């Protein structure tokens, strides 16, 4: 078996699970979960200042692993899409939803290194790091099943969301006109009432 085939068997989500592949999956999922935990811990000012260097080292290590994983997937894309040319298979991989998530997961670290970016934008960009959580979808059969269901029933789900939106607008409008005069601080306008309706629904 060639090196490319060995790599493909290790990283492709549709292949059988060998003991080595299971170890790889556990490692990647653990790294993703630890990244999300790091994002949460960094939101505490005291923890962020005390462990700034450790967070930075962990971020660099994580991005290095995720970048290598992306490169290997791009490298083996010809086996993923055997009916396409080398360029076609690479293009197909780059445009796939999971590949886009992979890019978004590593983008916040690379962009400030490549371009002089306003600090406020960097803070917003760091939000993209949370997309690493969605990478678990590639390694979890249960989440993959949920994703397949969402894809298959997207039209029904779209109608449901649209009807829910209409009901939220009606509820927030009613609350503004009924409760606004009595509780002007809680319902000063329909937009604020809409937030109340969303919070109540969720």
């Amino acid at each position: 078996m060639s090196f490319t085939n060995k790599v493909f068997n290790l990283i492709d989500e549709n292949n059988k699970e060998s003991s080595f592949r299971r170890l790889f999956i556990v490692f990647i999922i653990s790294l993703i979960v630890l990244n999300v935990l790091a994002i949460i811990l960094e939101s505490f000012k005291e923890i962020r200042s005390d462990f700034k260097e450790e967070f930075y080292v962990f971020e660099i290590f994580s991005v290095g692993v995720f970048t290598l994983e992306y490169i290997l997937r791009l490298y083996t894309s010809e086996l993923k899409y055997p009916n396409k040319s080398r360029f076609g298979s690479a293009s197909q991989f780059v445009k796939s939803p999971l590949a886009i998530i992979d890019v978004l997961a590593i983008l916040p670290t690379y962009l400030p290194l490549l371009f002089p970016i306003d600090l406020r934008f960097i803070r917003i960009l760091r939000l993209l790091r949370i997309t690493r959580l969605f990478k678990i979808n590639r390694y979890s059969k249960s989440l993959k099943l949920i994703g397949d269901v969402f894809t298959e029933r997207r039209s029904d789900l779209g109608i449901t969301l649209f009807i829910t939106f209409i009901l939220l607008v009606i509820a927030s409008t009613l609350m503004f006109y009924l409760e606004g005069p009595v509780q002007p601080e809680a319902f000063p306008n329909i937009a604020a009432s809409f937030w109340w309706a969303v919070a109540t629904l969720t």
Side-chain angles (χ1 to χ4, degrees), residues 9 11 15 43 46 66 71-72 76 109-110 117 133 136-139 161 178 187 195 199-200:
N9 288 339
I11 65 175
N15 285 324
S43 67
E46 301 80 11
F66 294 143
I71 291 170
L72 290 175
T76 59
T109 302
Y110 286 120
I117 301 174
L133 188 61
I136 292 178
N137 178 62
R138 177 179 273 130
Y139 303 100
L161 288 173
L178 294 175
F187 303 98
W195 173 247
T200 303

Side-chain angles (χ1 to χ4, degrees), residues 22 31 41 44 65 86 126 139-140 151 161 165 196 201:
R22 276 195 293 271
L31 191 60
L41 291 175
F44 293 88
V65 171
R86 181 66 183 148
R126 288 177 71 82
Y139 303 100
S140 170
T151 302
L161 288 173
F165 176 75
W196 167 86
L201 175 67

Side-chain angles (χ1 to χ4, degrees), residues 90-117:
S91 176
Q92 183 77 21
F93 166 74
V94 168
K95 293 185 291 186
S96 66
L98 287 174
I100 292 170
I101 289 173
D102 288 344
V103 170
L104 291 177
I106 61 177
L107 202 61
T109 302
Y110 286 120
L111 271 186
L113 299 175
L114 300 173
F115 306 102
I117 301 174

